[in-house]
Amino acid sequence: MAFMEKPPARKVLLDDTVPLTAAIEASQSLQSHTEYIIRVQRGISVENSWQVVRRYSDFDLLNNSLQIAGLSLPLPPKKLIGNMDREFIAERQKGLQNYLNVITTNHILSNCELVKKFLDPNNYSANYTEIALQQVSMFFRSEPKWEVVEPLKDIGWRIRKKYFLMKIKNQPKERLVLSWADLGPDKYLSDKDFQCLIKLLPSCLHPYIYRVTFATANESSALLIRMFNEKGTLKDLIYKAKPKDPFLKKYGNPKKIQGLELQQIKTYGRQILEVLKFLHDKGFPYGHLHASNVMLDGDTCRLLDLENSLLGLPSFYRSCFSQFRKINTLESVDVHCFGHLLYEMTYGRPPDSVPVDSFPPAPSMAVVAVLESTLSCEACKNGMPTVSRLLQMPLFSDVLLTTSEKPQFKIPTKLKEALRIAKECIEKRLIEEQKQIHQHRRLTRAQSHHGSEEERKKRKILARKKSKRSAVENSEEHSAKYSNSNNSAGSGASSPLTSPSSPTPPSTAAAFGFSKRCNEGKDVRITSTSSTSASASTTSSSLASCEHRGAYTAPAPGCEWCEPRGLTQLHPEFPKGNFEESRNL
């Protein structure tokens, strides 16, 4: 079976490209030193975290090892006297946290073995150089014509991939490079298909692919031999570096930042796109394009490390393109990585961050057009163009390639099907990882927005409005209940119509504002409860109603009518004539 649904037990399931974050949770002072408790987390999952304990001397040792990169790292200085004071320890802890932030956000430093061992000693405790030497020694037992000259220590960025300078015994002047690599988390080929495809690589002939001299594999690793190139890679050309130097020394902090000439950019870019199109047409997955994987042979670029996708190794830029859900196929990955490579060729350095909001001045606007189509916010959000589309863009369409070598790479049908299924599985894992990152980003953004000062003020204002609204509603409800209870009480004690001998109805007396003074010297006043804005016609109709019912009676003996009080004062529009008429009546 070409594809194994369950990953083989021998492959490394740990993805070394997943970034680590570190936070100092606390410090503890012992008799003669202080220890810092660091919480380290891999990726976005809080469950995938652990604690490590480090002293300042451990930080200092790490910093000395990283000096090879030529970077000025912000490690707090040493202090011999007073280094156990509480305030000093708190201040040093802040400085060490800043130091951790710097090295974990630097793309090159965060992927180096020194930092990985410092933060995750359990997973990176093995000596991979020794493991590689054991595998190479076993290989030499069956192939005695090869001989190791020296190990090329740390010339690459991968932790689980090692290089050795080789020679052939009967050709001692020729130098070759042997690369050994362990299996990665994206290895989905069966052991049989994997070994067949590795051994097929020396038969791949293409003018822009660096030829493999020898290749073999077992159940857990692969070993390949190529000719050693004194000029080095395209990245060595851009950074003016020596090929044999360690990766950190070559590319950690380049002293001269200078891009290539426009014609070099056009030619190298066209050659790289041609070989990418060739591999995609053959159904061979790649996904590992960067400047260190492009060998320079005169004026020709040749692609390296075709075996990486077969081994299941993660890409150099995986932590970058895994942030964008539209970059979800190996072709779109290659196109996006080509944008990184073109940026380095143009400006002599990698982009500070991706997506790129604005591009510095370039030798040609055609260069900027390609960069915008691969690294801009719009491109990362909406998706990458195809390799064929890039070849048609003005920057590369007019480049003439002169080569007489005919491409040749024959892959049996059975292995093509195995490659297709493995490619789908690689893309499926990428899509799942992008989905998790997207969900985590949304949750983090929502929590940050909910906890912001402005949002807290809005919530307080809304809470006050809601409280006031509830109070008003409760008050209205209480008033309505009280009114209903009064109405029910009034209807239950209703009296018959007023008889002629009854006193003046309140409505009539109130309408005219009459007041009756009794002999006892008391004023009995009947005041109006109606609105002061009642019209005169309403008053007249009320009077007529009283007359019809016979509700009005003469004053009782011993009483006299007082001066009318203030309907005209309370309501200036009340007609005086009507008042006099009423009085005479």
Side-chain angles (χ1 to χ4, degrees), residues 204 206-210 268-291 293-294 301-306 309 315 329-342 345 370 374 384-391 396 401 407 409 423:
C204 178
H206 193 281
Y208 308 126
I209 292 178
Y210 201 69
Y268 294 162
R270 177 63 186 267
Q271 292 171 353
I272 293 167
L273 290 174
E274 287 288 346
V275 69
L276 289 177
K277 186 176 185 302
F278 172 79
L279 291 174
H280 293 155
D281 291 343
K282 287 289 183 181
F284 192 94
Y286 187 55
H288 293 272
L289 180 63
H290 59 92
N293 274 353
V294 179
C301 280
R302 303 185 193 273
L303 208 60
L304 282 168
D305 289 359
L306 267 64
S309 58
S315 173
T329 64
L330 285 183
E331 182 177 7
S332 62
V333 167
D334 282 334
V335 170
H336 181 71
C337 294
F338 178 79
H340 284 263
L341 175 59
L342 182 62
M345 288 195 294
V370 179
T374 54
M384 298 287 112
T386 61
V387 175
S388 299
R389 176 70 187 92
L390 290 181
L391 284 168
F396 308 115
L401 300 177
F409 191 21
K423 175 177 172 289

Side-chain angles (χ1 to χ4, degrees), residues 24 26-38 52-63 75-76 78-79 83-84 89 92-93 96-97 99-100 118-119:
I24 302 177
S27 60
Q28 54 187 11
S29 297
L30 303 181
Q31 292 182 353
S32 60
H33 65 276
T34 302
E35 293 180 340
Y36 299 92
I37 303 171
I38 307 171
V52 292
V53 179
R54 293 286 182 259
R55 299 172 54 176
Y56 176 81
S57 58
D58 299 323
F59 281 90
D60 187 52
L61 184 62
L62 172 66
N63 189 66
L75 181 70
K78 292 181 180 180
K79 187 177 182 181
N83 57 7
M84 299 297 290
I89 292 173
R92 173 175 276 185
Q93 181 173 325
L96 294 177
Q97 181 63 64
Y99 179 81
L100 289 174
F118 182 82
L119 296 176

Side-chain angles (χ1 to χ4, degrees), residues 1-3 189-194 196-197 200 282-283 410-422:
M1 187 176 178
F3 169 69
L189 293 165
S190 68
D191 291 344
K192 182 180 177 181
D193 292 337
F194 166 67
C196 289
L197 283 165
L200 201 64
K282 287 289 183 181
K410 293 182 179 180
I411 304 175
T413 306
K414 182 182 177 182
L415 293 180
K416 277 188 177 181
E417 180 64 15
L419 285 173
R420 185 188 66 80
I421 298 175

Side-chain angles (χ1 to χ4, degrees), residues 15-20 43 104-108 110-111 116 157 314-324 333 336-337 340 354 429-430 433-434 437 441:
D15 189 341
D16 295 326
T17 63
V18 176
L20 300 178
T104 53
T105 53
N106 185 296
H107 187 63
I108 292 180
S110 61
N111 282 298
K116 296 285 189 183
W157 69 276
S315 173
F316 181 67
Y317 292 114
R318 185 181 180 89
S319 61
C320 178
F321 60 72
S322 61
Q323 307 294 320
F324 310 108
V333 167
H336 181 71
C337 294
H340 284 263
V354 176
R429 187 176 87 89
L430 173 61
E433 182 179 340
Q434 290 171 334
I437 293 174
R441 190 186 297 123

Side-chain angles (χ1 to χ4, degrees), residues 7 45 57 228 321 400 412 501:
S45 176
S57 58
F228 177 71
F321 60 72
L400 297 177
S501 59

Side-chain angles (χ1 to χ4, degrees), residues 515-522 524 554-562:
S515 173
K516 190 166 60 173
R517 184 179 294 120
C518 300
N519 290 335
E520 290 80 8
K522 296 180 181 179
V524 179
C559 295
E560 59 179 356
W561 291 107
C562 296

